Amino acid sequence: MTGTTYPELAAAQACLRLLHTARAALADPAPGAALLLAGPIAEADEALRKAGLAGNEAALLDRLYDLSPLPAPRAERLR
């Protein structure tokens, strides 16, 4: 991760936590599962604001891609 500041890193990590929580909440058919998103949404909003990334999706996605390893090529995943 070249050039990523700590606030940008924190914002990207908060957004990844939100993404994982959203996936889990939306996969759970139980009533109220989506209420689990309130905390992670607030955390991500605050982290984005602190990093100066609020409303700057392109810069945010660059930081997210810095954090996430690229998927393995299809041939390697089949082994």
Side-chain angles (χ1 to χ4, degrees), residues 16-30:
L16 284 175
R17 282 191 292 278
L18 173 58
L19 173 65
H20 295 300
T21 304
R23 284 181 178 159
L26 295 173
D28 185 353

Side-chain angles (χ1 to χ4, degrees), residues 14 17-18 21-22 34-48:
R17 282 191 292 278
L18 173 58
T21 304
L35 293 175
L36 297 172
L37 297 176
I41 287 172
E43 177 194 14
D45 284 345
E46 178 64 12
L48 289 168

